[in-house]
Amino acid sequence: MSRLLIEPVSSLWNATDENSWFRALCLLGRRCGFDQALFAVIPRRGMRFTDAYLRSNFDACWRETYEAQAFARIDPTVLHCLQHASPLVWSASVFADESQQRMYEQARTHGLYSGVSLPIHGPRQEVGILSLVCGEQSRRELDKQVRRHLPMLTLLRDAAFDAGQRFLTPHTETLVPKLTPREHECLKWTAQGKSTWEIARIFGCSEATVNFHMANIRNKFGVSSRSAAAVKATRMGLIDLD
């Protein structure tokens, strides 16, 4: 059983580039009866949905509509994966309120009828989703299909996340602000409640110098206050309060 599961997903690690890695993921999904796939990971807590690393073979028009209307904020598959570790088997009934139903009706026009979404929760606070989509079928047939392939689907989710780290890491590096050692220290002391005067005393410099560093920090994080920058840096794992 173990060999039968592990050998197919080895293609994810053997992939020579990002495109071949995702093609291998889609092929493994199709072998389980799912003809469309989406893999998305938000690299750090505090980052936005738009910061996610995302690969999908969904219709491009649907992806544009989804992003333009910020459907991630109401999508029950996304909301489930943010809060749970167990897979979500979904069809029309999962889209409960009016806004979700409107979203589902649009999704159907692009071939997204039903499927299974498997949450991703990584060791560095990554959170994400592997969604596999199949054609229209009864809920009973869908449940049967998922049960039959669940061990493979779970392994596929974990293997895709593991093998995809080589692509996720460069993506994350483009999003995380690059701090100088002194900016890092300023943020650390700010997060611990130190004032500008106290930080200047710690560094043995003027308050104007500390304010210069803090202005650079605010610009890098795109925030208007040092406390907001400290919160974002902590959520991204850039500073440790211990």
Side-chain angles (χ1 to χ4, degrees), residues 117-166:
S117 294
L118 297 98
I120 296 170
H121 295 281
R124 291 181 292 276
Q125 299 184 322
E126 304 97 330
V127 62
I129 181 172
L130 172 62
S131 273
L132 299 165
V133 180
C134 54
E136 192 169 15
Q137 57 183 304
S138 71
R139 182 57 189 237
R140 182 177 180 181
E141 291 172 332
L142 177 62
D143 288 342
K144 184 178 178 180
Q145 178 180 344
V146 172
R147 284 197 303 270
R148 182 168 65 250
H149 295 292
L150 188 56
M152 180 62 187
L153 296 175
T154 302
L155 179 60
L156 179 57
R157 182 265 317 273
D158 295 342
F161 178 69
D162 190 27
Q165 287 300 311
R166 53 189 152 149

Side-chain angles (χ1 to χ4, degrees), residues 72-148:
R73 300 188 181 279
I74 64 168
D75 187 340
T77 67
V78 171
L79 299 177
H80 174 90
C81 289
L82 289 174
Q83 301 172 18
H84 301 88
S86 58
L88 173 69
V89 181
W90 55 268
S91 56
S93 61
V94 171
F95 297 79
D97 65 35
E98 186 175 341
S99 61
Q100 290 175 339
Q101 290 168 7
R102 287 197 301 269
M103 171 192 156
Y104 179 73
E105 288 305 313
Q106 291 187 61
R108 286 184 60 190
T109 65
H110 298 278
L112 304 172
Y113 293 98
S114 57
V116 58
S117 294
L118 297 98
I120 296 170
H121 295 281
R124 291 181 292 276
Q125 299 184 322
E126 304 97 330
V127 62
I129 181 172
L130 172 62
S131 273
L132 299 165
V133 180
C134 54
E136 192 169 15
Q137 57 183 304
S138 71
R139 182 57 189 237
R140 182 177 180 181
E141 291 172 332
L142 177 62
D143 288 342
K144 184 178 178 180
Q145 178 180 344
V146 172
R147 284 197 303 270
R148 182 168 65 250

